């Protein structure tokens, strides 16, 4: 158990406020915040899952999904248990939601008994596996934020990049704390509707939009993901609002439109139709987005990158595999890319 970096004591007696995520929980002595992984113990906030990893795997960076960030490389992917959202269709509920219903004493005891992985070991393992980056993923990195920062510092010293795969529910304080350490992020824009965010995820829309803007301002390589769910966000108006928002930040941010499969508490939902994905793709293109990709589905050509200027095929993908890559490095060993055919600058790190 380690004390966290971002909190402040409130004047009203026993309460301390966590500043990691946009819930900004005010936590009473002996209690935890919404995520159940940050606890107030005698006026100090502790991260009670520090170093406990429920996932350690080597994934293609395309699986995050990041299509414009060092394509074709592997990312060492870790997660600690818990989440600050409670998405009803969560695809990792076994590691993100299982601790939610336990009482504090029992899971504190449980966490205390588990093996901890020191931050140096994560970096060591990533290097041994020939990965070029470390991804903080599967659950939201907000629930292992301090551990992530510790790993990220060491990773940078060893030449590895850092990636967040996240719901984007952060505060200005936490995004700025990660500035200079976080290289890339895939952020979910799940809906463009505050009511859906509250009902399905237990969050709000506005902080997510603010996080996207601030990550971008801080120079983090960004890609966005929207899981299309028939009952909730499969309508042209909402899809267009998401696309318009991304264009307003930067039309070159890649947008991944993902197919929904019924999971967790949304077992009665419908698998997203191919036509729905294609329709969203077309709406995004009309809105002016340069790069749109279909996810969780095989749709020939919809995973490929074409040059926004000359229209030639730049990256041909099959699932997570790169079959052809015509993006050449524009600067340095790892830097911006450009089209091999016309020299147009391609957003990303290549
Ligand atoms: S990380 Fe978020 S949910 Fe957890 S205690 Fe802090 S503010 Fe609350």
């Amino acid at each position: 158990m380690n004390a966290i970096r971002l909190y402040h004591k409130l004047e009203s007696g026993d309460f301390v406020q966590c500043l990691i995520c946009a819930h900004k929980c005010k936590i009473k002595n002996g209690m935890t915040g919404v995520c159940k992984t940050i606890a107030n113990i005698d006026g100090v906030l502790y991260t009670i899952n520090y170093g406990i990893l429920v996932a350690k795997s080597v994934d293609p960076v395309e699986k995050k999904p990041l299509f414009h960030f060092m394509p074709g490389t592997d990312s060492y992917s870790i997660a600690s248990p818990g989440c600050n959202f409670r998405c009803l269709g969560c695809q990792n509920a076994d590691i993100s939601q299982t601790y939610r219903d336990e009482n504090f004493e029992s899971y504190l005891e449980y966490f205390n008994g588990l093996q901890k992985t020191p931050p140096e070991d994560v970096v060591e393992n990533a290097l041994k596996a020939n990965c070029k980056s470390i991804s903080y993923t599967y659950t939201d990195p907000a629930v292992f934020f301090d551990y992530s920062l510790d790993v990220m510092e060491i990773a940078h010293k060893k030449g590895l990049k850092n990636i967040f795969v996240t719901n984007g529910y952060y505060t200005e304080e936490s995004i700025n704390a990660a500035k200079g350490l976080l290289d890339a992020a895939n952020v979910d824009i799940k809906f463009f509707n505050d009511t859906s965010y509250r009902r399905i995820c237990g969050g709000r829309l506005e902080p997510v939009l603010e996080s996207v803007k601030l990550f971008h301002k801080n120079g983090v390589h960004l890609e966005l993901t929207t899981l299309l769910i028939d009952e909730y966000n499969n309508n042209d108006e909402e899809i267009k609002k998401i696309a318009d928002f991304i264009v307003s930040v930067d039309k070159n941010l890649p947008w991944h439109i993902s197919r929904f499969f019924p999971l967790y508490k949304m077992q009665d939902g419908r698998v997203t139709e191919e036509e729905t994905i294609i329709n969203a793709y077309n709406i995004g293109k009309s809105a002016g987005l340069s790069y749109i990709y279909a996810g969780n589905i095989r749709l020939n050509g919809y995973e490929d990158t074409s040059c926004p200027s000359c229209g030639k095929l730049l990256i041909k993908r099959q699932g997570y595999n790169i079959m052809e890559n015509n993006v050449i490095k524009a600067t340095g060993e790892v830097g911006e890319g450009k089209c091999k055919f016309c020299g147009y600058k391609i957003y990303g790190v290549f």
Side-chain angles (χ1 to χ4, degrees):
M1 230 174 23
N2 289 40
I4 68 168
R5 292 163 170 87
L6 298 174
Y7 70 95
H8 64 81
K9 292 196 176 184
L10 298 171
E11 284 180 8
S12 52
D14 274 355
F15 286 87
V16 176
Q17 185 168 33
C18 175
L19 299 172
I20 293 175
C21 91
H23 286 304
K24 290 193 176 177
C25 299
K26 294 174 181 168
I27 309 171
K28 197 176 179 192
N29 191 18
M31 305 292 281
T32 63
V34 169
C35 62
K36 308 276 187 181
T37 64
I38 305 284
N40 178 350
I41 300 173
D42 297 330
V44 175
L45 289 190
Y46 290 92
T47 166
I48 58 179
N49 61 0
Y50 188 93
I52 296 166
L53 295 181
V54 284
K56 304 177 192 177
S57 27
V58 175
D59 289 337
V61 73
E62 282 75 14
K63 193 177 172 186
K64 301 301 117 196
L66 288 178
F67 278 14
H68 288 232
F69 190 78
M70 304 199 295
T73 63
D74 282 335
S75 190
Y76 192 73
S77 303
I78 58 166
S80 293
C83 196
N84 54 346
F85 272 15
R86 48 150 184 76
C87 303
L88 301 180
C90 182
Q91 51 185 325
N92 292 316
D94 54 331
I95 53 175
S96 71
Q97 303 297 325
T98 38
Y99 307 93
R100 188 167 291 285
D101 300 329
E102 302 292 327
N103 69 54
F104 177 45
E105 284 75 19
S106 66
Y107 66 71
L108 186 60
E109 196 181 315
Y110 176 68
F111 279 148
N112 280 339
L114 291 177
Q115 196 197 344
K116 319 281 186 302
T117 303
E120 307 79 47
D121 289 12
V122 174
V123 176
E124 195 73 13
N125 291 342
L127 289 169
K128 269 190 208 147
N130 200 25
C131 293
K132 302 294 179 221
S133 60
I134 296 175
S135 289
Y136 309 82
T137 178
Y138 307 129
T139 61
D140 199 276
V143 299
F144 53 114
F145 187 74
D146 283 80
Y147 181 73
S148 299
L149 290 181
D150 291 343
V151 176
M152 282 155 73
E153 281 177 17
I154 303 166
H156 262 197
K157 285 183 189 145
K158 299 281 184 178
L160 295 172
K161 303 286 184 191
N162 293 306
I163 297 168
F164 271 13
V165 181
T166 175
N167 57 32
Y169 208 60
Y170 287 97
T171 59
E172 194 178 336
E173 289 86 347
S174 56
I175 292 176
N176 285 334
K179 189 176 176 181
L181 289 173
L182 184 65
D183 301 290
N186 186 299
V187 178
D188 279 348
I189 301 180
K190 295 174 189 285
F191 314 98
F192 212 86
N193 178 320
D194 198 61
T195 307
S196 300
Y197 256 101
R198 288 174 191 270
R199 276 186 55 207
I200 313 296
C201 303
R204 289 174 292 124
L205 169 65
E206 200 54 38
V208 177
L209 304 183
E210 289 307 314
S211 292
V212 168
K213 289 190 242 173
L214 190 52
F215 276 132
H216 186 254
K217 186 170 163 230
N218 282 358
V220 174
H221 169 87
L222 263 190
E223 304 196 20
L224 293 321
T225 295
T226 300
L227 183 69
L228 281 180
I229 310 172
D230 270 348
E231 296 87 327
Y232 296 102
N233 57 9
N234 178 18
N235 62 81
D236 290 3
E237 193 189 344
E238 188 160 345
I239 293 166
K240 183 169 177 347
K241 281 183 184 168
I242 297 173
D244 285 342
F245 167 74
I246 301 171
V247 170
S248 76
V249 179
D250 183 341
K251 68 173 182 160
N252 292 317
L253 301 183
W255 185 33
H256 300 262
I257 311 159
S258 216
R259 181 181 225 183
F260 167 79
F261 288 95
L263 283 167
Y264 190 42
K265 294 183 178 174
M266 289 178 83
Q267 300 284 346
D268 51 355
R270 283 194 301 277
V271 177
T272 317
E273 303 282 346
E274 274 186 22
E275 299 79 62
T276 303
I277 302 283
I278 293 169
N279 178 52
Y281 180 98
N282 291 333
I283 292 172
K285 280 286 172 194
S286 299
L289 284 171
S290 302
Y291 309 103
I292 308 176
Y293 302 106
N296 282 348
I297 190 169
R298 284 287 167 87
L299 277 174
N300 197 19
Y302 286 84
E303 294 171 314
D304 299 340
T305 305
S306 296
C307 175
S309 178
C310 70
K312 294 220 169 94
L313 177 69
L314 290 179
I315 304 178
K316 173 90 193 148
R317 299 182 182 85
Q318 235 171 46
Y320 301 133
N321 299 315
I322 308 284
M323 312 310 288
E324 185 181 337
N325 188 348
N326 295 310
V327 180
I328 51 175
K329 288 171 191 125
T331 53
E333 196 177 313
V334 179
E336 287 173 342
K338 61 180 182 179
C339 170
K340 182 169 103 178
F341 308 104
C342 71
Y344 185 83
K345 198 169 111 182
I346 305 300
Y347 175 78
V349 177
F350 294 92

